[in-house]
């Protein structure tokens, strides 16, 4: 196994030599130090390292470099080595730029030059970078391979699952020689794609999400059968509950069906979340929350589908799709919502083959030089339009309403108006998706009765959301759309809900079943915002403590 790389980038030859010298003196035995004199040279070095399958533990980049500054370099370097830790080298006058970089490219640290003595000012920072990188488990999943086809819906689903769980992988198409060689080595038929090849060379043919999760080291089985608190759903509300539950001493397990972050985790950029003036990607925000929950001792189960909630005396039991179950004193439902399906003919058949729900960021490279269409007029659609405008030739928002102003935040509308290759088609719907093995065109239906066909291979859908609560039918009270009622909304003329067994009214976030709480978008009458979901997750834990004190 080759040594992990420490990369340093500085256009000042004297500083560059000094950084490399100090790093080799302390870390040379266990790491390989690579230095570059420009952002372009460093990116070329990173590409070569990527092709050779080497690992990069940390990158230290000078801020003030010609042609490409340190922030611009790190932003591109993250695409090559997303798990490598990042530090910015700045002069004292660049402190504001360093703080900006922490928000913009998720920089871990900034180092003020000069850093003499390195034992006090350099090595503690690099120690922290290396420790964080090791804790992320880069080595265990570095050589995951996926063999599939661009227009295979199962292949897209597998790639999306790994990407949303921040698991690095390398993709090989069966249309390319290396992909065919891997397919032959796995003794697989093209009909059995995707083929996922684990780090120990074991091929999985057309695996389920749970099989992939287990193979790449994600936790799928609970450590015990009884907890203080079960959190169902890993979006902002669920992660907030897990952080506060575990940090306050409750034995907490979070159960997620696909990947931590939920819809928020798919957002290309969240710009109105408190504390991030330059915005933050949903993936970065939720990954930080996930790591924070794990740090406090929360257990995270991935790719587990919850199919039932049962009440057995004081225990609240969650049953999984495979028949297994876990129980706890209390449960927080934070399952969020899912994008509604587009009912136009052809959309169902072409889902995952040109029609996608959510941002599907793994498709961004395929959009280069193409015309992309996005259906929806709310913030999630607008954020996707901003993101894909950096890749596609053009991005068109298809909006049913008269304008964006009734459904989208003002700041986002202003951003879209300033992007030359983003266009908005109001009073328009998608009437049909056309194509054989993949999407080739869509029919646009206008409010005046006219229609037109436009060529496109990428349609991203954001048309509202519905809760995933059918599995709660007959257990907790829900409204006509499936959202769960809580607290005062459960009272009818001052009367408590039928079956209520306690001598008090339900707490504010408590469902019609004592000890079962609800947080985030799945709650009836909730505010559909990331900040409010996190707040409800924290508040639900406080109410769990009050409930447990009664037992």
């Amino acid at each position: 196994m080759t040594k992990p790389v420490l990369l340093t980038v500085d256009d000042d030859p004297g500083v560059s030599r000094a950084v490399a010298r100090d790093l080799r003196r302390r870390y040379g035995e266990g790491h390989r130090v690579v230095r570059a004199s420009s952002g372009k040279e460093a990116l070329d070095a990173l590409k070569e390292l990527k092709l050779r399958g080497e690992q990069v533990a940390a990158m230290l980049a000078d801020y003030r470099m010609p042609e490409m500054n340190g922030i611009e370099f790190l932003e591109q370097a993250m695409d090559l080595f997303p798990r490598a830790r990042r530090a910015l080298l700045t002069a004292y006058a660049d402190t504001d730029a360093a703080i900006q970089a922490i928000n913009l490219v998720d920089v871990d640290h900034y180092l003020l030059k000069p850093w003499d003595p390195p034992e006090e000012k350099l090595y503690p920072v690099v120690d922290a970078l290396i420790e964080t990188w090791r804790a992320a488990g880069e080595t265990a999943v570095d050589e995951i391979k996926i063999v599939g086809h661009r227009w295979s819906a199962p292949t897209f689903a597998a790639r999306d699952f790994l990407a949303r769980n921040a698991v690095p992988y390398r993709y090989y198409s069966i249309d390319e020689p290396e992909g065919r060689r891997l397919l032959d080595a796995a003794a697989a038929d093209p009909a059995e794609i995707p083929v996922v090849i684990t780090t120990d060379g074991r091929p999985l043919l057309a695996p389920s999400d749970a099989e992939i999760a287990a193979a790449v080291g994600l936790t799928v089985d609970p450590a015990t059968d009884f907890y203080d608190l079960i959190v169902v759903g890993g979006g902002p509300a669920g992660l907030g509950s897990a952080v506060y539950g575990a940090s306050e001493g409750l034995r907490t397990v979070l159960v997620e069906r696909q990947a931590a972050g939920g819809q928020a985790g798919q957002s290309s950029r969240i710009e109105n979340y408190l504390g991030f003036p330059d915005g933050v990607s949903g993936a970065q925000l939720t990954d930080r929350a996930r790591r924070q929950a794990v740090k406090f001792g929360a257990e995270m189960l991935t790719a587990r589908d919850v199919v039932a909630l049962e009440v057995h005396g004081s225990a609240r039991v969650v049953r999984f799709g495979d028949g297994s179950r876990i129980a706890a004193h209390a449960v927080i439902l934070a399952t969020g919502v899912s994008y509604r399906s587009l009912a136009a003919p052809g959309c169902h058949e072409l889902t995952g083959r040109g029609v996608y729900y959510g941002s599907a960021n793994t498709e961004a490279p395929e959009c280069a030089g193409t015309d992309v269409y996005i259906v929806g007029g709310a913030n999630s659609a607008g954020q996707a339009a901003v993101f894909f405008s950096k890749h596609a030739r053009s991005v068109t928002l298809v909006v049913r309403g008269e304008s964006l102003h009734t459904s989208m935040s003002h700041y986002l509308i202003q951003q879209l108006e300033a992007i030359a290759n983003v266009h908005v088609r109001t009073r328009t719907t998608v009437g049909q998706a056309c194509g054989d093995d993949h999407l080739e065109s869509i029919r646009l239906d206008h409010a005046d009765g006219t229609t037109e066909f436009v060529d496109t291979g990428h349609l991203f859908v954001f048309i509202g959301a519905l809760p995933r609560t059918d599995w709660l039918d007959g257990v907790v009270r829900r409204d006509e759309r499936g959202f769960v009622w809580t607290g005062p909304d459960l009272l009818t003329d001052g009367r408590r809900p039928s079956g209520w067994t306690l001598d008090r009214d339900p707490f504010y976030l408590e469902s019609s079943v004592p000890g079962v709480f609800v947080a985030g978008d799945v709650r009836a009458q909730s505010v559909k915002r990331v900040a409010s979901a996190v707040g409800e997750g924290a508040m639900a834990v406080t109410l769990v403590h009050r409930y447990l004190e009664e037992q």
Side-chain angles (χ1 to χ4, degrees), residues 210-235:
E211 290 171 327
I212 296 174
V216 302
L218 299 175
T219 303
V220 295
D221 295 317
T224 185
D225 57 3
F226 199 92
Y227 296 83
D228 294 319
L229 174 63
I230 299 171
V231 180
V232 184

Side-chain angles (χ1 to χ4, degrees), residues 124-135:
V125 169
V126 179
D127 285 345
L129 293 174
I130 294 173
E131 180 180 351
T132 303
W133 175 77
R134 286 175 176 165

